Amino acid sequence: MTPEEIFDLLLPYSDERRTEFENGKRLAHYTSAAAAYQILTNQEVWLRNASMMNDFSEIQHGIDCLGAAWRSRGGKQLREMLDRIEPGLSERIARLFDSNSFILQQNTFIVSLSEHDDNEDDYGRLSMWRAYGGSSGVALILNPTAFLSDTDEMKVFSAPVLYKSEVQFVEWFQDWATAVGKAEKELKGLGAETINNWIFGVFRIFALSTKHPGFSEEKEWRVFHSPDYEGASPWVRSEIEIIKGIPQKIVKLKLFDDPNKSIMGVAPSRLVNRVIIGPCDYPLQVRDTIVAALEKAEVEDAANKVTISLIPLKHA
């Protein structure tokens, strides 16, 4: 088993859902017309602090699920395996995660996307318009190339959301721990320090991307960056912006390709597959401005890639 195969074993649901992109699955970013216009014209997307999300308790839910799983039968099984590899390794990992839980919530920056099905091309998804469209909603439909890359040069990572209650997560974790335990020999060959870092990294993803099953209709993916862990790259910078009257630190992710670093499909010309104008007061005017922004971003055949959704929805 190669190191890559071992890491895929540690994140099985992520690997399975990435495979769907190879079969044509796309992602959508539901946002306001103003934000969509800025993304295209500035060729950057803003990642907001996890504590400023619609429901900041989402990250706490993931941490709580992981804590319950660590204390469960599956957690005991995992801890025993880790301590067979190196005595005290499980305690090292626990201390590392506990000491970083505050950073996970207070210094992680996220932008949310949603899996997009072909049958949503004309109208988008009603529940997403209700949640994120407001009175001028736009959905940017994105090609998956950038999300299939194996490079970490951008220092920005993505993961699908795992929709589980605490009880469901503990049950799922039992199966996960059993599967990981079957690779004990291969894990031991990596060395304790690598295992320590990999398990912490996987637990971090579990915490950041586990959400209550009541939100499963969103089919969310999260793109995240943590300055404390990832460090700097030409693609990310932190700045202070005022959003809805609140000054706050955000991370700006620049959208450009660099073939020399195996970064392709990030620039809007390759990233944007189509755009859906959602329910709004002035759909024709919004469409005209979005088409202009697409043309400025060198998206080919821009006018034919913008659809006005006629989905019936009253907005406030």
Side-chain angles (χ1 to χ4, degrees):
M1 184 178 288
T2 66
E4 291 77 13
E5 289 171 333
I6 296 173
F7 196 77
D8 287 344
L9 177 67
L10 294 174
L11 282 173
Y13 69 95
S14 181
D15 186 54
E16 290 166 4
R17 288 171 65 182
R18 285 179 195 278
T19 301
E20 295 178 7
F21 288 147
E22 297 172 1
N23 298 320
K25 178 79 75 175
R26 292 163 292 164
L27 288 165
H29 180 45
Y30 285 82
T31 187
S32 68
Y37 181 80
Q38 289 180 331
I39 289 169
L40 295 170
T41 55
N42 297 333
Q43 299 196 34
E44 66 182 20
V45 64
W46 293 5
L47 281 65
R48 296 188 66 192
N49 193 290
S51 65
M52 304 294 290
M53 294 171 66
N54 288 346
D55 183 1
F56 68 88
S57 66
E58 290 177 3
I59 306 301
Q60 187 61 52
H61 175 73
I63 292 173
D64 291 343
C65 285
L66 187 57
W70 185 252
R71 296 186 296 271
S72 71
R73 183 165 58 91
K76 181 174 184 291
Q77 181 179 326
L78 178 67
R79 294 196 305 275
E80 289 175 348
M81 183 203 71
L82 292 170
D83 290 338
R84 284 196 298 271
I85 292 173
E86 180 177 288
L89 180 56
S90 66
E91 182 60 28
R92 281 175 56 194
I93 293 171
R95 286 199 306 268
L96 179 62
F97 186 85
D98 288 345
S99 65
N100 283 274
S101 61
F102 180 81
I103 294 174
L104 287 176
Q105 297 182 79
Q106 298 297 323
N107 204 28
T108 297
F109 297 82
I110 294 174
V111 63
S112 295
L113 308 175
S114 176
E115 292 179 6
H116 181 81
D117 295 326
D118 291 346
N119 61 13
E120 296 173 323
D121 274 353
D122 292 332
Y123 305 112
R125 193 179 314 147
L126 180 58
S127 61
M128 297 301 288
W129 291 129
R130 284 173 170 161
Y132 302 102
S135 60
S136 60
V138 167
L140 300 175
I141 312 305
L142 311 177
N143 291 315
T145 305
F147 303 92
L148 298 174
S149 174
D150 290 329
T151 180
D152 63 355
E153 289 286 343
M154 292 178 67
K155 307 302 181 184
V156 175
F157 301 91
S158 63
V161 166
L162 183 65
Y163 294 97
K164 302 286 184 186
S165 67
E166 189 171 300
V167 171
Q168 291 169 333
F169 186 88
V170 168
E171 292 174 350
W172 175 86
F173 192 90
Q174 174 66 64
D175 293 336
W176 176 83
T178 299
V180 171
K182 293 178 181 178
E184 180 177 341
K185 180 180 178 181
E186 289 84 353
L187 283 167
K188 187 172 185 178
L190 295 173
E193 191 59 33
T194 296
I195 297 171
N196 181 73
N197 294 335
W198 279 20
I199 295 293
F200 170 73
V202 168
F203 281 4
R204 178 181 162 223
I205 292 174
F206 288 171
L208 291 175
S209 60
T210 300
K211 198 169 179 178
H212 191 280
F215 296 98
S216 61
E217 189 179 55
E218 294 178 353
K219 296 187 285 187
E220 184 181 353
W221 277 70
R222 287 181 169 169
V223 178
F224 56 90
H225 171 79
S226 297
D228 298 270
Y229 306 128
E230 272 82 59
S233 88
W235 282 269
V236 294
R237 72 182 190 277
S238 298
E239 290 189 0
I240 303 297
E241 293 285 350
I242 299 175
I243 302 175
K244 296 181 179 180
I246 302 175
Q248 55 192 271
K249 180 181 175 182
I250 64 167
V251 165
K252 295 184 177 181
L253 170 62
K254 296 298 293 182
L255 302 178
F256 68 91
D257 292 341
D258 187 342
N260 293 326
K261 294 185 176 180
S262 300
I263 304 296
M264 297 296 295
V266 178
S269 59
R270 289 187 172 93
L271 179 64
V272 179
N273 178 272
R274 63 190 292 111
V275 179
I276 305 173
I277 309 299
C280 62
D281 293 327
Y282 307 104
L284 294 177
Q285 289 82 353
V286 171
R287 182 186 185 279
D288 287 346
T289 58
I290 294 298
V291 169
L294 289 170
E295 291 174 342
K296 182 179 179 181
E298 301 182 349
V299 176
E300 293 183 1
D301 199 23
N304 289 324
K305 291 183 177 178
V306 183
T307 301
I308 296 177
S309 173
L310 299 178
I311 194 167
L313 172 66
K314 291 183 180 180
H315 49 260

